[in-house]
Amino acid sequence: MAKIKMITPLVEMDGDEMTRVIWQKIKEILLLPYIDLKTEYYDLGLEKRNETDDRITIDSALATKRLGVAVKCATITPNAERVEEYNLKKMWLSPNGTIRAILDGTVFRTPILVKGVTAYIPNWTAPISIARHAYGDVYKGVEVRVPDGAKAELLVTDRDGNQTKTLIHSFETGGIVQGVHNIDKSITSFARSCFNYALELKQDLWFSTKDTISKVYEHRFKDIFAEIYENEYKERFEKAGIEYFYTLIDDAVARVIRSEGGFLWACKNYDGDVMSDMVATAYGSLAMMTSVLVSPDGIYEYEAAHGTVTRHYYKHRKGEQTSTNSVATIFAWTGALRKRGELDGIGELVDFANRLERACITTIEEGVMTKDMISLSDHPNKRAVNTVEFLEEVATRI
Ligand code: NAP
Ligand code: MG
């Protein structure tokens, strides 16, 4: 069979540890036999980042801006231990943070559902995707402890030096105070990314804040979303048969639990931090969660939601067997290939991506899975396979 031809290359961002091992195997076993794979390769492995003073990460993000679609392997975010382990020149920033800052994107996470693995909330039969606003609020907060007898005020000085002062609290006894901020531009980008992605998923978009209590700060989020929806997206949503639904955050949480899933849930920064872990856990496994960074101007970077699976990598290096789940990394590739196929009008590439995803799901639904899935699956004849065996099992089902 002739291999599927590509037109525009994908930006390929290689990574670290066990996921780097899996990366090569996925290409070798599942992609190269079928596709005349065209990629622009960037090695974001920690050694190369250190060697290039992290220039490679910036270059890969700029390439993504130029080519439009990237696929990324999990990478190490260095901490003090890693600085020692890899003898680093400095504690380089998180590659995901660097890429996100350059693309100004929002991260969407979606669980991959298979039959035989029941969510902890059994009525969640369709995936809930979460979008987390990745700027500001308490993550850029400034906090101080305040002694008794002190008065705390909010002071804003405008460009011309005019000042407005607002009393926060007069402290009769000691306490604490916190200053948080956000930026209209960032909220606007977040809103556009969410509306675009909902259209792409053809799913309703939910958004919520606590605007009844926070009548300026939280209300600003609500207003920006509403304005952008009315002016730019309402018609397209109606045409696609989907809805934009705003409600208070506490009401949203109650509705999410009662729902069947199948929608996109946009969350403010803190809500997204908390709710994405809840949703991921409820669906079963981080190894079955995909992640895509979408910029407001429609640039896509696909990856798995999990990390480099360090413990498995150390076993692998000692020559021991591993049973690492590659599904989320495979879906990063299929997401990127499908998007590339759509943009370049290559139907065969879109079909292949769909077929490969189907093959992964069928493999698990037929009882063949990596160890992490064994305790979750209620398949009567389930069988654990090692890392490479799983990929080979998938290949037989393409
Ligand atoms: P992790 O790599 O996601 O692994 C945590 C644990 O979850 C693993 O030890 C394993 O449990 C289980 N697990 C995760 N993915 C799995 C898979 N595909 N198959 C089977 N089991 C899986 O998180 P971490 O240990 O916190 O972080 C390791 C490194 O990854 C860190 O250096 C961190 O900076 C980096 N990281 C990168 C990204 C990214 O690039 N997007 C995201 C998160 C973390 P068992 O050991 O019990 O089997
Ligand atoms: Mg968290």
Side-chain angles (χ1 to χ4, degrees):
M1 209 182 79
K3 289 190 190 180
I4 301 165
K5 294 259 182 291
M6 291 178 66
I7 300 170
T8 316
L10 287 176
V11 176
E12 175 184 355
M13 303 170 174
D14 207 345
D16 289 299
E17 300 193 312
M18 199 60 207
T19 40
R20 187 183 181 95
V21 174
I22 289 175
W23 196 258
Q24 288 309 320
K25 290 288 172 198
I26 289 173
K27 284 167 67 179
E28 191 184 306
I29 300 171
L30 297 176
L31 302 177
L32 294 172
Y34 309 98
I35 305 171
D36 212 350
L37 195 64
K38 263 195 183 174
T39 73
E40 209 173 285
Y41 180 85
Y42 292 85
D43 183 1
L44 301 196
L46 188 48
E47 278 156 9
K48 195 71 180 183
R49 279 184 272 148
N50 191 51
E51 195 186 304
T52 62
D53 293 339
D54 211 22
R55 182 70 225 175
I56 189 94
T57 308
I58 295 165
D59 288 346
S60 74
L62 295 176
T64 306
K65 267 195 153 171
R66 175 164 46 81
L67 293 174
V69 186
V71 56
K72 180 181 170 291
C73 179
T75 46
I76 293 170
T77 298
N79 55 16
E81 277 168 31
R82 298 295 199 168
V83 171
E84 209 168 296
E85 183 184 354
Y86 283 81
N87 194 18
L88 299 181
K89 296 184 212 167
K90 84 184 237 206
M91 202 185 290
W92 304 110
L93 296 175
S94 146
N96 286 17
T98 302
I99 295 165
R100 196 168 59 210
I102 292 173
L103 298 181
D104 183 26
T106 298
V107 173
F108 298 89
R109 286 182 157 198
T110 307
I112 301 158
L113 304 194
V114 294
K115 287 194 205 90
V117 175
T118 310
Y120 282 99
I121 300 180
N123 48 293
W124 285 6
T125 50
I128 296 171
S129 299
I130 294 234
R132 173 181 172 189
H133 184 213
Y135 180 84
D137 303 348
V138 69
Y139 301 86
K140 290 252 185 234
V142 177
E143 324 184 306
V144 279
R145 280 185 67 175
V146 180
D148 59 2
K151 184 170 73 171
E153 293 166 318
L154 263 180
L155 171 67
V156 177
T157 310
D158 72 13
R159 194 176 271 133
D160 304 321
N162 305 313
Q163 299 193 318
T164 52
K165 230 182 246 179
T166 314
L167 178 70
I168 298 171
H169 192 66
S170 286
F171 288 81
E172 269 167 36
T173 56
I176 42 184
V177 67
Q178 179 183 58
V180 295
H181 78 277
N182 222 301
I183 299 168
D184 288 355
K185 187 167 166 269
S186 172
I187 303 168
T188 303
S189 291
F190 175 57
R192 286 212 178 93
S193 295
C194 291
F195 287 122
N196 285 338
Y197 198 61
L199 282 168
E200 168 143 356
L201 291 178
K202 292 203 176 49
Q203 289 182 349
D204 293 347
L205 174 66
W206 295 22
F207 182 54
S208 39
T209 70
K210 194 70 181 175
D211 63 284
T212 47
I213 298 297
S214 167
K215 292 189 168 61
V216 175
Y217 194 102
E218 301 266 320
H219 215 286
R220 188 76 192 125
F221 282 82
K222 178 183 178 181
D223 288 346
I224 288 176
F225 266 72
E227 200 182 302
I228 292 178
Y229 178 66
E230 285 299 323
N231 296 338
E232 299 173 30
Y233 290 94
K234 194 167 193 252
E235 270 173 39
R236 277 188 274 168
F237 266 52
E238 282 167 2
K239 211 184 248 169
I242 58 175
E243 256 182 54
Y244 169 56
F245 174 61
Y246 177 88
T247 186
L248 281 172
I249 181 69
D250 35 0
D251 180 48
V253 168
R255 285 172 188 263
V256 165
I257 294 293
R258 287 195 304 262
S259 79
E260 292 169 0
F263 54 89
L264 172 60
W265 188 11
C267 292
K268 289 184 65 225
N269 208 348
Y270 175 82
D271 299 339
D273 187 350
V274 177
M275 293 307 158
S276 64
D277 278 7
M278 182 190 75
V279 168
T281 306
Y283 278 112
S285 166
L286 205 56
M288 295 292 283
M289 182 74 71
T290 59
S291 185
V292 56
L293 175 72
V294 182
S295 81
D297 45 351
I299 288 163
Y300 293 75
E301 182 236 339
Y302 294 84
E303 66 167 345
H306 59 77
T308 59
V309 213
T310 310
R311 210 179 57 83
H312 296 211
Y313 179 61
Y314 291 151
K315 277 178 76 179
H316 169 80
R317 265 205 324 208
K318 280 195 267 171
E320 290 171 28
Q321 280 291 341
T322 57
S323 184
T324 314
N325 190 334
S326 51
V327 172
T329 305
I330 297 171
F331 272 60
W333 275 101
T334 52
L337 289 167
R338 180 169 41 238
K339 176 54 72 184
R340 199 63 272 171
E342 284 167 7
L343 293 174
D344 291 350
I346 312 172
E348 271 187 300
L349 200 55
V350 174
D351 287 346
F352 176 79
N354 292 337
R355 205 147 11 110
L356 179 49
E357 289 184 356
R358 198 60 241 160
C360 288
I361 290 168
T362 310
T363 303
I364 300 173
E365 288 181 349
E366 289 178 2
V368 179
M369 58 199 82
T370 45
K371 270 187 193 149
D372 56 303
M373 299 294 291
I374 286 285
S375 61
L376 303 171
S377 164
D378 51 28
H379 195 284
N381 303 311
K382 58 193 171 189
R383 167 166 75 87
V385 288
N386 70 33
T387 307
V388 171
E389 281 166 356
F390 181 79
L391 297 173
E392 286 163 348
E393 289 277 353
V394 172
T396 66
R397 290 170 176 84
I398 297 178

